[in-house]
Amino acid sequence: MGFFLSKNVLGTIAYLYKKVCKLESKLQFFMTRLIIPYSVLIIVYGLFMTLLILASPHHVDKDLLVVNFSSLVIFPLTGYLLYKSSNGQTKNKSLVNVFLLLTALIFTYYSYDLLKDTSDVSWFDFLPLAALMLSLLFLIIPVQKRQPLPKESGITSWEEYWKMFDTLCNSLNNDNKQIVVTELKEAQKHVNGLTDGWYEFLNEFEKVNNTHNKTFSTEQAILAKTLIQNLKSSLNNR
């Protein structure tokens, strides 16, 4: 009785883990797609606030001037570093987080400054609040690294094949899917130079893909499918 209960508990934990991984993957995918709109929003907002300050006939506080002119440097750099991070072109995540934090602080100031007078509130006053929330979300939820899409013409060499296989493993590892990576690496051990070893690798690869593909991002799913199809094609042509 205790054995069956333990089995059910483990099954429930495994099911919940898959659901959490799938939700995390979707959130990362969604946040990655928000990078460009977010970058445009903060840069345009910074420029617009500068124009408002320059056109204002009233005295402008020194604090607002400092925050505004700082934003003209920080906002573009935040967007640029965030985009580079999503493409895997920078490994310094701390620098990205520092600029996101500075951006969040600036929008906190803007939100307080615009909303402190509740007698005349317009939709424009809520833009810094929206930008603040997005900045905090980017701090909390890591963006998903974009992977280069496979060539439609297929993989031209085994060296390219294993590079793409490693790219898939690295992408899964970055998404905290170490269990899947371990299973893929175990499947890879079947490759021993003999035809039977390649077929065993293909079978194990397909099993891993069928078990976990619901937790894969779009890029990861395309990459796994391409690797499997190219291996099948190669084995059929032998």
Side-chain angles (χ1 to χ4, degrees):
M1 184 70 178
F3 172 77
F4 287 112
L5 283 173
S6 299
K7 194 173 181 181
N8 288 334
V9 170
L10 288 173
T12 303
I13 291 172
Y15 174 77
L16 290 174
Y17 175 76
K18 286 183 180 180
K19 286 292 184 182
V20 169
C21 287
K22 187 175 181 181
L23 178 61
E24 182 185 18
S25 179
K26 285 184 175 180
L27 284 173
Q28 290 178 341
F29 179 81
F30 177 70
M31 293 305 295
T32 304
R33 294 303 178 271
L34 277 179
I35 289 175
I36 293 178
Y38 168 77
S39 301
V40 171
L41 171 64
I42 62 177
I43 292 170
V44 170
Y45 188 86
L47 292 172
F48 187 75
M49 286 299 296
T50 303
L51 292 175
L52 281 182
I53 291 171
L54 293 175
S56 176
H58 305 291
H59 172 72
V60 179
D61 291 339
K62 185 179 178 180
D63 290 344
L64 180 57
L65 286 173
V66 172
V67 169
N68 177 254
F69 288 117
S70 297
S71 72
L72 294 178
V73 177
I74 292 171
F75 288 174
L77 282 174
T78 300
Y80 173 74
L81 290 171
L82 201 55
Y83 180 77
K84 295 275 281 187
S85 176
S86 71
N87 284 310
Q89 296 175 1
T90 176
K91 295 181 180 179
N92 196 343
K93 293 183 179 179
S94 299
L95 185 61
V96 180
N97 289 337
V98 166
F99 275 91
L100 280 170
L101 185 59
L102 289 172
T103 300
L105 289 173
I106 290 172
F107 278 114
T108 300
Y109 177 87
Y110 279 147
S111 299
Y112 172 77
D113 191 60
L114 290 171
L115 295 174
K116 63 183 179 182
D117 184 11
T118 56
S119 60
D120 186 21
V121 178
S122 65
W123 65 269
F124 178 78
D125 297 330
F126 289 97
L127 282 179
L129 193 60
L132 169 61
M133 297 304 294
L134 285 172
S135 301
L136 293 175
L137 282 174
F138 277 116
L139 275 169
I140 297 168
I141 303 172
V143 295
Q144 199 173 67
K145 289 186 178 179
R146 299 173 187 267
Q147 302 298 329
L149 294 179
K151 301 173 184 176
E152 292 181 3
S153 57
I155 300 169
T156 57
S157 67
W158 287 114
E159 183 182 359
E160 185 182 356
Y161 184 91
W162 291 120
K163 281 183 180 179
M164 291 177 68
F165 184 83
D166 289 338
T167 299
L168 175 62
C169 290
N170 290 334
S171 176
L172 292 167
N173 203 44
N174 289 331
D175 287 348
N176 297 319
K177 297 170 186 171
Q178 285 82 7
I179 294 175
V180 186
V181 175
T182 301
E183 292 179 8
L184 286 174
K185 292 294 184 181
E186 286 296 319
Q188 189 182 18
K189 291 179 181 178
H190 289 283
V191 178
N192 54 12
L194 301 175
T195 303
D196 288 346
W198 283 105
Y199 275 107
E200 288 172 6
F201 168 59
L202 174 61
N203 290 333
E204 292 300 317
F205 196 167
E206 287 185 311
K207 285 180 184 177
V208 175
N209 184 56
N210 292 334
T211 303
H212 300 287
N213 62 357
K214 289 183 180 180
T215 68
F216 289 179
S217 68
T218 304
E219 288 85 353
Q220 290 164 358
I222 292 173
L223 201 50
K225 184 179 178 181
T226 301
L227 288 167
I228 290 171
Q229 287 179 343
N230 274 268
L231 182 55
K232 279 184 178 179
S233 177
S234 178
L235 292 173
N236 290 335
N237 291 333
R238 285 193 174 191

